[in-house]
Amino acid sequence: NEYKSYLRMRNLVCQWQRCLQPGVPLDFISVDPDTNHVYGCHDNIIVKLDYTIPQVLLYHELSPDVSISDVHWLPSHRGLFLVLNSTILGVFYPDDKSFEEVVSIEGGVAGIEWSPDDGVCAIVSQTNELILMSEEFNCIKSCDARPTEFGADLQTQVGWGSKSTQFHGSEGKDAAKKPVFEKATPISPLDTKDTVISWRGDGQYFAVSTVDTQDDNEYRVIRMWSREGQHMATNAPVPGLEETLCWNSTGDLIATTIKQSNKHQVLFLERNGLQRSTFDLTLEETDTAVSEVLWNCTSTILALVYEGAKHSHILLYTVSNYKWQLKQHYTYDNGTVHMVWDPENELMFHVTTSCRYINYLLSFTVLTCRDTTTLVVDDKEVRVTPMGRMIRPPPMSLSQLKTPSSCNTLACFQDNVYILSNNRTVYKFSDASENTGCVDYVSSFVLEKEFPLLDHVVIRHMIMLAESKAYAIGLVNDTDTLITIELGEKEAYIVSCTTLEDTVVNMVKHDTADVIAVQLFTGELYQLVDGILEPWGNSDVKECVPFTEMRVVQFADEFVIVGRTAMNHLYMDTRLWSYDCTSFSVTRTHLIVTSHTHTLRCISLNQPSRVARTTEGIVDTGIRSVERGSKLVVAELCGSRVVLQMPRGNLEVIHPRPLLLTHLSELINDNQYNTVFEEMRKHRVNMNFVYDYHPEQFLVFFPDILPSLQSSHIELFVTELSDEDTTLNMYSFIDSISVGPKAKVSVVCTRLLEVCQECENSGVQWLNIMVSCYVKMNDIPKGLLCVKDLCSQYEKEAEAALKYMLILTDDDTLFNHALGTYDLDLVLLVAQCTQKDPKEYLLFLNKLKEYDDQYRKFKIDQHLGRHVEAIRALIGCSGDRFAEVCEYMEKHSLYSTVIENYKHGSPQFKTIAGLFAKTLQTQGKHEEAGILYGQCGMLRESLDCLRSTTRGSLALSLAAQMSMSSDEVAVLAEQLADNLRRDNDYRAAARLYETYCDNTDEAVEILCEGSLFADALEISQRRKRIDLVSSIMNTLKSKTTAMITVLNEMTDNVKKYSDRIQVVRVRRQAILDGDIDDMDHSDLYSDTTSMTATSAASSSSRRSAKSSKGRRKQERKKYSMKEGSRYEYFALQEAYKGIMLNLKDQSSQIREMVNILLLQGMREEAKQLSLAEGAAITAANAHKDLIWVPNKPKNDDIDEEVNIPEEPEPVSYPPDYSLSYNCIQQFKDS
């Protein structure tokens, strides 16, 4: 049902027509879908055809005394089931040309039909016996084929619903006594009295149409039977019921035909025999009977076959909103025509005439004219709907194009529609999308009859090159031929014919360019140039799969053929691009595709075709979800309108963002800003795009376009303004022409204010825009003052502007900003527009009026929390308010602000500096506190603060200024040296001990602690303390041994970490591939409970990971190298990085130690230390690429890509440096 709804907007066109002359007229045909072979029979002759070649593969004659009366291919037997002389049933095997008789029917066969699964065969004999036979040719059941009762599905009457209890109106009570079934009417004189059998699609039921006799009158009855042979129901007698019968595959409708004196109809029955609906047939020849009614395998197309006095006809119908539409009408030479639908391909059918076998392939396609105008064919009229202006699903339409005969082929040129009818006449309609109601053709052109186009030939794939010239494909001598047609005054002339090598499947023309693409039956793609087929593109002939839909698309550099196959595969030229394309459409800038994942994708055409043909490099500019099962109908060529048909059949219009923004960018380039603002507001596009796409043009042209724009559009634009560039993130698929300034909000709002102020009556007309700009720039006070200036002259407008500002911000914010202007009248005006209670703000305002201006500013700033402005206002107040200043300063820590407002050296300055220094001292900022104390003249306090710092020079200079004794200076120097020692500044600490304390031993000890052995030796030599040299060397030896040990451990750890990380990497990849389960839940247990995983969790021991302790605990886990832990991979990398950092930091220290060792004659120790460092550095550099796997560059020559596992969080990044080892020249050979 979803598929039927989808067909409402689509027309049925003929893709190919392949003819073959088998040599004999085929009376019966059957199809083998596995091999694409068709078997046909005539008298005692069996013919085997292959329609893909086409060619006769087998021509075999049976005994002359037999005649074949039915044929059916049996896949299970790989043979052809035959009915000979209406009596003998058997199987003919084409491989060895043998015939095996299986059963004989007494009295002969009146009707026979196999079930769709070939499991059961239903036979009605000439003696009115119904026989069910299995596929092994065993009799399942035999019964009377014409029972008199209704059947097992007879409705049970419970009394209250019976006819005797119903009201019968003017008929009276006697109506209740009438029988349920009226007397049947005699059969039509044209009825052949044949018995027809038709199975339901699932093979569970079948219907039998027979001719019964009642009161010496013959009438036709349809009975429904189950697969087991149980009679289920009988239809009510229908006047004029014909012998046609076909049960659709979905099982809900049984189609037959009825012929009455004034009309011919198709009747639909239900399984219980009740009538469902009917529709009228418009047959060209009235005195005729319908010989066949056939459903295709999906029940989407209903075919009717009838023979007239002059011609035979095949009609193809589809349904749309319960309206049956004639989509194709094929005419054949006089003679019997047989038709069979392909059992697997829903759009293929096979026809036999008196001398030909013809194979057809159909396709459903949307026919459009003039961008979005859709054309829907229904018999002798074409329904036209311009989807760009209105949405009307068929059978409704804006206008109807009327023709005298059925429409078969349509073509468009500009706004003209050309219809080729089945009587070989071309009808021209002009301005098809502009007319309403019924429209007659403006001219007609009869195709010349001298040309050898037989009646069965379908002229297809017609393309209009100009108003009077067209290309088309037709069969000439049973071979596809390119026909060039020119339209004269009243006739259409075939000016040239070009015989083609194979059958044409598709022929399409680009929407604007003169590029015509042709696809043959083999899938080969060609370009039609001046009536000659040339290979598509610059290479040789490209083979592909035959498409059901095909379009020529222009990319940035060349034209590409885009086609969709019956398997929903989408191709670009010969490259398979998508496996799940349900429909596609093309605009001037995008290729639009819907998929089985219920998404709509817009692919930009402004890219090279080489990129577009690859699924990896495709620039996919937008993906959006659509309703399940929705398919594209049409898309605007130069706009953003896309029409989709939902599974229910309703039409919906969407505007995909890529198409919409491309359309908006084109409007911006044309300076159509009024339309741009309207479209952006309608479709809720971020208003920043109108500026971000072309900032320079916007700022230049805005003064000219402002008067024509609606004020609401500008207000919305200003409200959505942000410094973020939408063309870089939100709408990154649209390239902006230029890049605007970073402070976009400030630049645009300033420019808007300038433009608004230059306009006449700007203060009133653009007041809302101006206040919007002030609010956006966070300069609300200026906006309030702007409103106040107009309040006296335009009170209503000013009040409206204040209310508009309240929309942009809240009541309290606007009130506070008004209060910040220190204008109490403005504050009162704003307060009256808010929802504030007058009892609250009036008392507050009245109290403020009692203060003088300066103190009022202080109170207002204090109320608003602007403490810096408040303290400055308080300092500027008259009178002695220094105590209040100090109190306010200490409360809000405004020392630096207040101290700037008093003269250096004044009592107020000293008081404030003292308070400031005391505060800094309590905060641990001793250096700054000491300097402030020094500015106040409080030298003792300053020195006490500087004692706790490492600024020894400042403290010692202050001690000299205070004339301290040498002992006091020595004590001070020891304190400062200890501070420097704790800060690892060993050289400065040693200098203080040596200079101010005269303590050489302590100075040397400190230098040795910091590994500054050269400095230690220099001091001992300079102080002539040779006795200290031995202790220095002993310390050097011990540190060298410890350093060698550390370096050797680093070397061992480097190798251990690199081996372990490879094991962990393999395990991680296996987890990512799903080969093993990650069963490590130790982190989960440790976060939720202190007990083991197998024990019961205690609620009191749970800790939240959101607490500071939990976060620290979680952070420590990341650096745990426990084997199998969650973060082991990250911890190994971080530990390795720590080794490299230590080696880098200790490099200079190790080099100095080596040099001292060599100078002191300790060559062996120096060599061991140098070699240990070299080994550690070499190992660290060598194993770095094993710890962090480098990203391998992509090789275009290799199709396979190396899958590097995506790093889980947290991620450790390798150091951006490599370690260098400068070996001592003396040890290079070592």
Side-chain angles (χ1 to χ4, degrees):
N1 292 331
E2 291 184 3
Y3 188 67
K4 290 182 181 180
S5 300
Y6 169 57
L7 301 179
R8 292 176 183 174
M9 289 302 302
R10 304 209 159 216
N11 295 292
L12 201 59
V13 298
C14 180
Q15 274 200 284
W16 79 51
Q17 183 186 30
R18 299 166 69 87
C19 281
L20 179 64
Q21 297 187 28
V24 293
L26 302 180
D27 301 324
F28 307 98
I29 56 175
S30 183
V31 182
D32 178 10
D34 297 331
T35 60
N36 295 328
H37 293 162
V38 179
Y39 295 89
C41 299
H42 174 70
D43 290 340
N44 65 332
I45 300 174
I46 301 175
V47 179
K48 177 182 176 182
L49 310 172
D50 187 344
Y51 65 82
T52 61
I53 303 178
Q55 184 179 346
V56 177
L57 302 179
L58 175 66
Y59 188 91
H60 181 74
E61 294 187 19
L62 299 176
S63 300
D65 57 342
V66 299
S67 177
I68 302 173
S69 54
D70 201 358
V71 61
H72 179 78
W73 175 257
L74 291 177
S76 59
H77 293 268
R78 299 306 301 168
L80 197 62
F81 178 80
L82 301 177
V83 179
L84 304 181
N85 298 332
S86 300
T87 304
I88 301 173
L89 309 183
V91 180
F92 172 77
Y93 298 98
D95 295 339
D96 56 3
K97 302 179 182 179
S98 62
F99 177 77
E100 177 186 359
E101 182 179 345
V102 293
V103 70
S104 178
I105 303 299
E106 184 180 355
V109 176
I112 185 171
E113 187 71 22
W114 284 87
S115 63
D117 59 354
D118 296 317
V120 178
C121 180
I123 307 171
V124 177
S125 67
Q126 297 286 357
T127 58
N128 298 325
E129 183 182 8
L130 175 64
I131 303 170
L132 296 180
M133 183 177 65
S134 68
E135 61 178 337
E136 291 82 13
F137 310 111
N138 298 321
C139 182
I140 300 175
K141 185 175 182 180
S142 176
C143 61
D144 184 12
R146 300 179 182 177
T148 56
E149 65 274 7
F150 178 84
D153 288 342
L154 178 65
Q155 298 177 355
T156 303
Q157 302 291 342
V158 295
W160 55 266
S162 64
K163 214 159 171 58
S164 59
T165 61
Q166 296 175 356
F167 177 70
H168 301 286
S170 60
E171 294 182 352
K173 294 182 179 180
D174 294 337
K177 301 178 182 179
K178 291 183 179 180
V180 176
F181 300 106
E182 298 181 357
K183 185 176 180 181
T185 58
I187 62 175
S188 169
L190 300 176
D191 198 317
T192 60
K193 301 182 182 180
D194 291 339
T195 298
V196 183
I197 305 173
S198 179
W199 284 84
R200 200 171 76 170
D202 58 359
Q204 297 302 313
Y205 297 93
F206 63 92
V208 180
S209 176
T210 60
V211 176
D212 289 8
T213 304
Q214 180 181 1
D215 298 335
D216 298 330
N217 291 325
E218 293 180 327
Y219 66 98
R220 187 165 286 277
V221 179
I222 299 176
R223 295 179 177 87
M224 292 69 178
W225 300 79
S226 69
R227 186 184 181 93
E228 293 76 21
Q230 183 181 10
H231 180 212
M232 304 304 297
T234 304
N235 78 304
V238 179
L241 187 64
E242 295 185 315
E243 62 192 80
T244 57
L245 182 68
C246 190
W247 204 329
N248 68 355
S249 60
T250 55
D252 55 342
L253 294 178
I254 303 172
T256 183
T257 55
I258 54 177
K259 179 176 174 59
Q260 298 179 356
S261 58
N262 59 343
K263 59 183 176 180
H264 220 135
Q265 291 181 316
V266 173
L267 171 67
F268 296 111
L269 303 175
E270 298 179 0
R271 189 180 66 82
N272 56 10
L274 298 179
Q275 299 182 20
R276 170 73 68 86
S277 60
T278 61
F279 72 87
D280 295 338
L281 298 176
T282 55
L283 306 182
E284 293 186 355
E285 301 181 49
T286 57
D287 190 15
T288 183
V290 178
S291 59
E292 291 181 274
V293 173
L294 302 167
W295 291 99
N296 67 337
C297 61
T298 56
S299 302
T300 54
I301 306 174
L302 180 64
L304 276 73
V305 182
Y306 74 93
E307 300 176 9
K310 298 179 179 179
H311 298 89
S312 297
H313 305 267
I314 292 180
L315 309 179
L316 302 179
Y317 285 88
T318 62
V319 65
S320 172
N321 288 331
Y322 302 98
K323 171 68 169 62
W324 286 89
Q325 300 174 345
L326 177 60
K327 294 296 185 181
Q328 287 289 322
H329 183 173
Y330 300 136
T331 305
Y332 303 87
D333 299 334
N334 189 19
T336 303
V337 173
H338 297 283
M339 174 184 172
V340 173
W341 283 104
D342 193 88
E344 292 188 355
N345 193 335
E346 60 182 340
L347 298 175
M348 181 182 290
F349 64 93
H350 312 267
V351 175
T352 61
T353 65
S354 58
C355 60
R356 282 180 173 81
Y357 159 79
I358 311 173
N359 173 251
Y360 295 83
L361 179 68
L362 308 173
S363 67
F364 284 103
T365 183
V366 177
L367 297 177
T368 59
C369 172
R370 193 87 175 184
D371 202 359
T372 57
T373 301
T374 59
L375 309 173
V376 179
V377 175
D378 182 13
D379 195 8
K380 300 178 182 179
E381 68 178 20
V382 176
R383 296 188 173 90
V384 180
T385 302
M387 293 293 179
R389 289 184 289 161
M390 62 185 65
I391 300 297
R392 290 187 182 180
M396 298 179 292
S397 63
L398 178 66
S399 60
Q400 301 84 37
L401 310 181
K402 296 287 187 178
T403 58
S405 57
S406 300
C407 308
N408 272 14
T409 306
L410 278 74
C412 298
F413 183 77
Q414 296 178 354
D415 203 21
N416 299 329
V417 178
Y418 297 84
I419 300 175
L420 177 61
S421 64
N422 68 323
N423 65 354
R424 303 290 174 81
T425 303
V426 179
Y427 300 95
K428 178 183 177 181
F429 297 83
S430 61
D431 299 330
S433 60
E434 303 297 331
N435 299 311
T436 57
C438 295
V439 181
D440 292 329
Y441 56 90
V442 295
S443 56
S444 62
F445 312 92
V446 180
L447 198 64
E448 58 178 327
K449 302 184 183 300
E450 292 78 8
F451 199 83
L453 288 177
L454 303 180
D455 290 341
H456 69 274
V457 175
V458 178
I459 299 178
R460 63 192 196 278
H461 302 308
M462 189 169 72
I463 296 175
M464 297 302 302
L465 305 177
E467 290 190 4
S468 59
K469 184 178 180 180
Y471 281 150
I473 303 296
L475 288 175
V476 177
N477 298 325
D478 294 340
T479 304
D480 258 12
T481 304
L482 176 65
I483 304 171
T484 304
I485 303 174
E486 288 191 358
L487 305 180
E489 294 183 359
K490 292 185 178 180
E491 289 189 352
Y493 302 97
I494 298 179
V495 296
S496 66
C497 291
T498 304
T499 303
L500 304 176
E501 298 178 358
D502 204 347
T503 303
V504 174
V505 180
N506 291 289
M507 186 169 72
V508 294
K509 180 181 176 295
H510 188 264
D511 293 324
T512 56
D514 293 331
V515 178
I516 301 175
V518 177
Q519 186 183 38
L520 301 184
F521 178 80
T522 58
E524 297 173 350
L525 301 176
Y526 291 88
Q527 182 176 357
L528 187 60
V529 180
D530 297 331
I532 301 175
L533 290 183
E534 298 180 355
W536 179 262
N538 299 323
S539 60
D540 296 334
V541 175
K542 300 177 180 179
E543 295 184 0
C544 194
V545 181
F547 302 138
T548 57
E549 294 180 73
M550 191 172 87
R551 296 286 295 273
V552 179
V553 180
Q554 185 177 10
F555 279 89
D557 55 346
E558 65 175 350
F559 291 93
V560 173
I561 294 176
V562 177
R564 187 179 70 90
T565 67
M567 299 298 293
N568 291 325
H569 293 173
L570 187 69
Y571 284 81
M572 290 189 180
D573 282 349
T574 58
R575 185 181 180 92
L576 178 61
W577 189 84
S578 173
Y579 287 94
D580 62 345
C581 171
T582 57
S583 63
F584 75 94
S585 186
V586 180
T587 69
R588 187 172 53 81
T589 57
H590 287 85
L591 171 64
I592 311 172
V593 180
T594 59
S595 65
H596 283 301
T597 56
H598 325 305
T599 57
L600 181 141
R601 308 172 67 182
C602 298
I603 301 150
S604 174
L605 301 183
N606 298 323
Q607 59 180 325
S609 60
R610 175 185 56 81
V611 178
R613 288 191 183 97
T614 61
T615 55
E616 295 84 3
I618 189 69
V619 180
D620 205 339
T621 56
I623 301 178
R624 59 163 291 169
S625 299
V626 292
E627 184 176 337
R628 179 186 181 92
S630 57
K631 294 181 175 63
L632 288 164
V633 176
V634 69
E636 272 188 316
L637 192 63
C638 299
S640 61
R641 193 180 181 94
V642 175
V643 182
L644 292 169
Q645 187 160 30
M646 303 298 112
R648 300 177 301 279
N650 58 307
L651 300 178
E652 292 186 5
V653 178
I654 63 173
H655 295 263
R657 276 292 187 263
L659 271 66
L660 178 61
L661 292 173
T662 302
H663 180 55
L664 291 175
S665 62
E666 293 172 351
L667 294 175
I668 292 174
N669 293 334
D670 295 338
N671 294 331
Q672 300 183 30
Y673 281 95
N674 204 348
T675 307
V676 171
F677 276 101
E678 185 66 37
E679 291 295 316
M680 292 178 70
R681 181 174 183 177
K682 183 196 302 181
H683 299 292
R684 297 185 178 182
V685 178
N686 192 299
M687 287 288 183
N688 284 272
F689 179 76
V690 72
Y691 172 84
D692 294 336
Y693 177 72
H694 202 334
E696 297 176 356
Q697 177 178 298
F698 180 85
L699 296 175
V700 170
F701 287 94
F702 197 76
D704 300 329
I705 63 176
L706 179 63
S708 62
L709 296 176
Q710 297 183 24
S711 176
S712 59
H713 291 167
I714 307 299
E715 294 165 9
L716 182 60
F717 167 70
V718 176
T719 303
E720 292 190 359
L721 263 182
S722 66
D723 288 329
E724 191 177 13
D725 192 342
T726 55
T727 61
L728 298 179
N729 42 59
M730 186 183 302
Y731 307 131
S732 58
F733 43 82
I734 298 294
D735 296 329
S736 59
I737 293 180
S738 60
V739 179
K742 293 184 179 180
K744 178 174 64 175
V745 174
S746 177
V747 171
V748 173
C749 290
T750 303
R751 181 59 176 160
L752 278 176
L753 289 172
E754 293 174 357
V755 174
C756 291
Q757 291 168 359
E758 292 172 0
C759 295
E760 187 177 357
N761 294 329
S762 60
V764 180
Q765 185 178 0
W766 309 115
L767 183 58
N768 285 354
I769 298 176
M770 295 171 67
V771 298
S772 299
C773 292
Y774 286 123
V775 172
K776 200 64 184 178
M777 292 191 297
N778 203 19
D779 197 359
I780 298 178
K782 282 189 178 180
L784 291 171
L785 294 175
C786 181
V787 173
K788 184 188 175 184
D789 294 341
L790 299 174
C791 186
S792 59
Q793 298 180 357
Y794 306 98
E795 184 178 353
K796 292 183 179 180
E797 289 79 359
E799 184 178 354
L802 286 175
K803 292 181 178 179
Y804 179 70
M805 293 183 73
L806 287 171
I807 297 175
L808 302 179
T809 183
D810 57 274
D811 293 358
D812 293 335
T813 302
L814 191 63
F815 180 83
N816 291 337
H817 278 288
L819 194 61
T821 62
Y822 311 115
D823 190 337
L824 299 183
D825 294 334
L826 179 60
V827 175
L828 182 61
L829 181 63
V830 171
Q832 291 173 349
C833 294
T834 64
Q835 301 296 324
K836 287 181 171 293
D837 188 356
K839 295 179 181 178
E840 297 177 1
Y841 63 81
L842 286 179
L843 182 63
F844 175 66
L845 294 179
N846 291 333
K847 190 173 182 181
L848 288 177
K849 290 180 180 179
E850 298 175 358
Y851 305 126
D852 59 84
D853 293 344
Q854 195 67 20
Y855 197 72
R856 184 188 303 129
K857 290 182 179 180
F858 163 70
K859 285 294 185 181
I860 290 175
D861 291 330
Q862 182 185 16
H863 174 76
L864 297 178
R866 302 188 301 191
H867 303 299
V868 175
E869 291 81 357
I871 196 69
R872 287 173 179 169
L874 183 59
I875 293 173
C877 290
S878 58
D880 186 10
R881 296 185 180 272
F882 184 72
E884 189 174 355
V885 169
C886 293
E887 180 183 358
Y888 196 83
M889 175 189 68
E890 291 185 277
K891 181 178 180 181
H892 298 289
S893 300
L894 299 173
Y895 301 100
S896 57
T897 303
V898 175
I899 201 170
E900 293 177 355
N901 290 274
Y902 290 97
K903 186 178 179 181
H904 186 273
S906 63
Q908 293 88 346
F909 180 87
K910 292 182 179 181
T911 303
I912 294 171
L915 294 173
F916 195 6
K918 185 177 180 181
T919 302
L920 292 175
Q921 188 176 5
T922 57
Q923 294 175 356
K925 300 177 181 179
H926 300 286
E927 182 178 346
E928 295 184 30
I931 293 174
L932 276 173
Y933 276 129
Q935 289 179 289
C936 302
M938 305 170 68
L939 301 183
R940 179 61 61 182
E941 288 81 358
S942 177
L943 184 60
D944 292 339
C945 289
L946 292 177
R947 287 177 188 270
S948 302
T949 68
T950 58
R951 302 301 297 272
S953 300
L954 288 177
L956 292 172
S957 65
L958 188 61
Q961 184 180 350
M962 296 172 60
S963 302
M964 294 180 64
S965 65
S966 57
D967 294 339
E968 291 177 332
V969 171
V971 173
L972 176 62
E974 287 183 5
Q975 293 177 346
L976 293 173
D978 291 340
N979 294 339
L980 292 170
R981 193 174 187 178
R982 286 193 296 270
D983 203 37
N984 297 328
D985 192 354
Y986 299 103
R987 187 174 278 110
R991 186 182 66 84
L992 290 179
Y993 268 106
E994 180 191 6
T995 305
Y996 294 97
C997 301
D998 196 20
N999 192 341
T1000 306
D1001 295 344
E1002 191 68 24
V1004 169
E1005 181 183 351
I1006 292 174
L1007 291 172
C1008 289
E1009 181 182 345
S1011 297
L1012 301 174
F1013 298 103
D1015 293 338
L1017 290 172
E1018 186 270 332
I1019 291 178
S1020 62
Q1021 296 290 346
R1022 179 162 46 84
R1023 290 279 186 168
K1024 301 187 184 302
R1025 292 290 304 275
I1026 306 301
D1027 58 309
L1028 297 176
V1029 174
S1030 59
S1031 62
I1032 294 173
M1033 299 313 298
N1034 291 333
T1035 306
L1036 177 60
K1037 287 181 181 180
S1038 63
K1039 285 212 168 189
T1040 300
T1041 304
M1043 183 64 71
I1044 293 173
T1045 304
V1046 171
L1047 291 173
N1048 291 335
E1049 289 179 357
M1050 288 183 180
T1051 305
D1052 296 338
N1053 287 336
V1054 163
K1055 297 178 181 179
K1056 183 174 68 173
Y1057 294 163
S1058 62
D1059 293 340
R1060 177 58 189 170
I1061 204 168
Q1062 294 182 64
V1063 177
V1064 175
R1065 185 178 290 116
V1066 172
R1067 182 176 179 272
R1068 289 175 69 251
Q1069 184 61 49
I1071 294 174
L1072 292 176
D1073 297 338
D1075 297 336
I1076 61 174
D1077 294 331
D1078 187 7
M1079 301 301 294
D1080 178 24
H1081 302 298
S1082 59
D1083 294 319
L1084 175 64
Y1085 299 137
S1086 62
D1087 277 344
T1088 56
T1089 177
S1090 61
M1091 304 175 69
T1092 61
T1094 57
S1095 61
S1098 172
S1099 60
S1100 61
S1101 63
R1102 291 180 180 141
R1103 293 290 183 268
S1104 172
K1106 294 182 179 180
S1107 65
S1108 59
K1109 182 177 180 181
R1111 286 194 299 270
R1112 290 194 300 269
K1113 183 179 180 181
Q1114 189 71 14
E1115 188 67 23
R1116 287 195 301 270
K1117 288 182 184 179
K1118 295 180 182 179
Y1119 300 94
S1120 172
M1121 289 186 290
K1122 176 185 176 183
E1123 291 191 4
S1125 64
R1126 178 181 178 185
Y1127 298 112
E1128 183 184 4
Y1129 191 77
F1130 171 77
L1132 288 169
Q1133 290 178 328
E1134 288 297 304
Y1136 197 93
K1137 191 188 299 184
I1139 292 176
M1140 295 189 67
L1141 185 61
N1142 288 336
L1143 288 172
K1144 181 182 178 182
D1145 293 342
Q1146 294 175 3
S1147 174
S1148 59
Q1149 179 184 348
I1150 293 174
R1151 186 59 179 263
E1152 184 176 353
M1153 291 174 65
V1154 170
N1155 293 334
I1156 294 297
L1157 288 170
L1158 289 174
L1159 287 174
Q1160 297 300 321
M1162 301 179 182
R1163 177 181 174 82
E1164 188 62 30
E1165 289 83 352
K1167 180 179 179 181
Q1168 292 179 5
L1169 179 59
S1170 180
L1171 294 180
E1173 182 193 14
I1177 290 177
T1178 302
N1181 288 333
H1183 293 80
K1184 180 180 176 182
D1185 289 344
L1186 295 177
I1187 301 296
W1188 292 278
V1189 178
N1191 292 329
K1192 296 184 179 180
K1194 189 174 180 180
N1195 190 350
D1196 296 336
D1197 299 332
I1198 301 177
D1199 294 334
E1200 296 182 355
E1201 293 185 3
V1202 179
N1203 291 327
I1204 299 174
E1206 186 177 341
E1207 297 287 349
E1209 292 293 341
V1211 179
S1212 176
Y1213 297 99
D1216 56 355
Y1217 57 85
S1218 294
L1219 299 175
S1220 60
Y1221 171 59
N1222 297 323
C1223 181
I1224 302 294
Q1225 294 294 326
Q1226 302 178 32
F1227 306 142
K1228 277 205 169 182
D1229 295 336
S1230 300

